[in-house]
Amino acid sequence: MNIVLSTLNAKYIHTNIALRYLKSFAKPEFEPIIAEYTIKDPSFNIVSEIYQKHPDVVGFSCYIWNIEETIRVIRMLKKVSPNTTIILGGPEVSYDVHDWLRRIKEVDYIIMGEGEYSFKQLLFYLKGDIPLEDVPGICYLKDNKVVIHPQPKKVDLREMPSPYRFEEDIPDIPKRISYIETSRGCPFSCQFCLSSIEVGVRYFSREKIKDEIRYLMSKGAKTIKFVDRTFNISRSYAMEMFQFLIDEHEPGVVFQFEITADIMRPEVIQFLNDNAPKGLFRFEIGVQSTNDLTNELVKRRQNFEKLSRTVTMVKEGGKIDQHLDLIAGLPEEDYASFRQTFNDVFAMRPEELQLGFLKLLRGTGLRLQAQQFGYEYVDMAPYEIFANNLLTFDDILRIKQAEDVLEKYWNDHRMDRTVEYLVTEVFESPFDFFQEFGTYWEERAWSRIGHQLEDLFNRLLLFLHDRGSVNLEFVTSLMQLDYLAVQQFQPRKIWWDKRVASDVSKKLLQQLRENPAIAGEEFASFQLNEKELYKHTLLVPFSLDYEALENGELTAQNGYLLTYFRKDEKPYFTTISSSLIS
């Protein structure tokens, strides 16, 4: 029996761990072939490849990001291969199975929930070894009526076979994200999340997990992401794993975790600050909202004071980047409340702040309460909301505009100094900056055209010029500094208009040759010859004192910014007073 396990990933760098668990569990009686694609691949090409494998059975792993593309593939595949049995599984089809079976007539069976045991038993039935009644956790149409079989007993995760040891995966391990699952289930009951439906948390064997991580690193894995919904629910387990990863990590590897920040003890953070190499760990933290009533309505227990303590301690440690999530559109959070949530969280200056929008996922409590809160949403994956009883579609669109520039100007960290100045000294709050600029960006249709790095600087400067009430000389100086700070070589083109006059530049460089100490003792220690001075330094008009700026002070100074570009190192900066050439 030829069995193909397939899915459409969001990106090529992703791997589907679910298919690999199904394959490892099905062995040795069955030998499924894994065929992964992306949602960008043409449906015809996917169908052609699967068809040429002559499958008797094809199983698709379904999620909100791939279900519509998967349906197109299924319908085409059934036309060219009508005798192929098609099975669906995954979180997107595990709920509302009546709808799926009637909508996708080409589907023969749907596996609900955890699928390893049910899938293998279904293969035994298709092979003719057991009756259909002995296959648990599946649903199908019989005489146009939906038949649902009871769920099987949960598998013992400690006995699960490895999903990582397939030879065909080895060449791709260094090029893709490796996903590690150390537990299943979630102790919390957030009504917007599918993880709240499974009661209790079950763990895999710790020693086996460690062996899997060693194996992946030995094969060149660079990014290993833990998919546990709350990695640190058990402090002893988290500490053991952190210590293991610190002790045995390979150079260049990064481990990502989803953590619940308000339950992380200060001594755990201090341990990481003291012992973890910089860049080894990355935390993803779901904040979602700081509105107490909102959190209560979605059954989300969260102590924002403790969460803030954790995020702040981690940030001060300087070892671990943090990605924080917000969700716009939760119950009883209107535009003003969401603005407050955003500002509360941005005050911690996370390395990344993702501004997401509520999706009413199938099976979640919030979807069942949609009418109560006046939700209007797209009845097609990913089920994103249009509005609710407090948030209009206009509000949603405005927040989306803020999200667009948040990604470009904060999460990409192209001009941190500039943004920090604007959100603290110019605009009433951080949210107001991103909102006003996002609306300005959309009004000029910039979201529909491409941009280069220089365009981001010019567009921000144009926005601030048109808005007024801002010291453009200060802002331009900060933007120049941000732009030059990421360059390894003197840029071929610069985006600002004001340049140093050639006679002034010539005089300054001559003085630097004669007395390099005027640019600081460190600059003098570089001992640059004339050629190096002209080739690797840049002078630009500057309105601030760089040394004061590095100490957190914004001090006006009429002069020049000297930048010395050093290969494989950050540029050296200093400011030179214009009085030197008066």
Side-chain angles (χ1 to χ4, degrees), residues 10-282:
K11 298 179 180 178
Y12 167 76
I13 60 171
H14 298 165
T15 51
N16 187 289
I17 192 174
L19 297 184
R20 287 162 174 80
Y21 271 117
L22 292 174
K23 175 173 179 172
S24 63
F25 202 88
K27 292 166 67 73
E29 293 88 347
F30 304 98
E31 290 287 344
I33 298 169
I34 292 178
E36 288 181 283
Y37 306 94
T38 75
I39 54 176
K40 298 294 185 182
D41 292 332
S43 300
F44 188 91
N45 293 2
I46 296 172
V47 171
S48 299
E49 282 197 24
I50 294 176
Y51 174 82
Q52 292 178 73
K53 300 180 189 298
H54 307 292
D56 299 296
V57 177
V58 179
F60 289 96
S61 190
C62 303
Y63 307 85
I64 56 171
W65 64 79
N66 73 7
I67 185 63
E68 297 303 323
E69 292 84 356
T70 301
I71 290 172
R72 284 197 290 272
V73 169
I74 290 168
R75 287 177 172 156
M76 293 172 63
L77 180 61
K78 201 69 168 182
K79 283 185 178 180
V80 298
S81 186
N83 295 323
T84 296
T85 298
I86 294 179
I87 304 169
L88 302 188
E92 176 56 14
V93 295
S94 287
Y95 308 93
D96 299 341
V97 292
H98 296 76
D99 292 344
W100 290 119
L101 287 170
R102 298 195 186 283
R103 179 183 172 191
I104 320 171
K105 301 291 188 183
E106 296 81 3
V107 170
D108 296 287
Y109 302 97
I110 292 177
I111 295 176
M112 302 171 293
E114 192 171 76
E116 288 91 353
Y117 182 75
S118 296
F119 179 67
K120 187 167 188 176
Q121 293 303 105
L122 185 54
L123 294 180
F124 278 128
Y125 159 72
L126 294 172
K127 186 183 174 187
D129 291 346
I130 63 173
L132 185 58
E133 291 73 21
D134 289 351
V135 181
I138 63 168
C139 59
Y140 52 93
L141 286 176
K142 182 178 181 181
D143 299 328
N144 207 34
K145 293 182 180 180
V146 175
V147 180
I148 298 178
H149 288 197
Q151 290 289 306
K153 181 182 177 181
K154 298 291 186 183
V155 297
D156 186 345
L157 300 182
R158 296 167 299 179
E159 302 301 323
M160 287 285 281
S162 172
Y164 304 105
R165 308 295 177 122
F166 304 123
E167 285 192 19
E168 61 269 27
D169 281 340
I170 293 175
D172 290 327
I173 289 176
K175 298 179 287 186
R176 290 181 160 184
I177 298 172
S178 297
Y179 294 92
I180 287 283
E181 187 179 29
T182 72
S183 65
R184 289 184 183 177
C186 181
F188 303 112
S189 304
C190 305
Q191 295 299 287
F192 50 81
C193 180
L194 280 175
S195 299
S196 65
I197 297 172
E198 184 175 348
V199 178
V201 179
R202 296 174 294 145
Y203 286 91
F204 289 75
S205 163
R206 296 186 186 188
E207 296 309 313
K208 284 185 178 180
I209 291 296
K210 292 175 183 177
D211 283 342
E212 305 291 25
I213 293 171
R214 292 185 185 105
Y215 172 82
L216 289 169
M217 290 192 296
S218 74
K219 300 302 180 185
K222 297 302 180 187
T223 302
I224 297 178
K225 184 170 182 177
F226 289 74
V227 297
D228 306 66
R229 303 308 300 168
T230 303
F231 178 79
N232 62 314
I233 190 63
S234 166
R235 185 167 66 95
S236 63
Y237 173 73
M239 285 292 288
E240 180 180 335
M241 290 303 296
F242 286 144
Q243 184 69 69
F244 162 72
L245 298 173
I246 290 170
D247 290 342
E248 299 198 27
H249 72 275
E250 296 290 341
V253 69
V254 177
F255 297 97
Q256 299 183 18
F257 312 88
E258 291 187 30
I259 70 161
T260 299
D262 59 347
I263 66 171
M264 183 168 268
R265 301 277 290 274
E267 56 266 32
V268 176
I269 306 168
Q270 192 60 53
F271 167 80
L272 295 174
N273 286 345
D274 292 341
N275 296 283
K278 182 177 174 59
L280 180 64
F281 297 145
R282 173 184 168 88

Side-chain angles (χ1 to χ4, degrees), residues 244-378:
F244 162 72
L245 298 173
I246 290 170
D247 290 342
E248 299 198 27
H249 72 275
E250 296 290 341
V253 69
V254 177
F255 297 97
Q256 299 183 18
F257 312 88
E258 291 187 30
I259 70 161
T260 299
D262 59 347
I263 66 171
M264 183 168 268
R265 301 277 290 274
E267 56 266 32
V268 176
I269 306 168
Q270 192 60 53
F271 167 80
L272 295 174
N273 286 345
D274 292 341
N275 296 283
K278 182 177 174 59
L280 180 64
F281 297 145
R282 173 184 168 88
F283 287 168
E284 297 180 15
I285 301 169
V287 183
Q288 322 313 5
S289 175
T290 63
N291 184 310
D292 290 337
L293 176 57
T294 294
N295 284 325
E296 181 181 339
L297 288 170
V298 298
K299 300 182 181 180
R300 181 174 179 79
R301 301 193 304 273
Q302 179 169 271
N303 185 318
F304 186 66
E305 183 180 348
K306 290 183 177 180
L307 183 150
S308 300
R309 180 190 66 191
T310 293
V311 173
T312 302
M313 278 191 70
V314 171
K315 187 172 181 65
E316 288 174 349
K319 299 287 191 68
I320 301 169
D321 282 350
Q322 298 176 98
H323 170 114
L324 272 56
D325 290 331
L326 301 179
I327 298 179
L330 291 171
E332 296 303 316
E333 179 133 85
D334 60 11
Y335 182 85
S337 171
F338 184 77
R339 175 181 179 270
Q340 185 61 52
T341 282
F342 183 98
N343 288 329
D344 288 341
V345 176
F346 193 84
M348 297 182 283
R349 300 298 191 267
E351 284 75 20
E352 286 186 15
L353 178 57
Q354 180 174 327
L355 200 168
F357 296 83
L358 180 64
K359 299 171 179 62
L360 295 185
L361 306 179
R362 294 176 183 269
T364 59
L366 210 49
R367 184 172 174 122
L368 299 176
Q369 295 175 288
Q371 189 173 358
Q372 176 185 343
F373 297 113
Y375 280 113
E376 298 174 17
Y377 62 97
V378 186

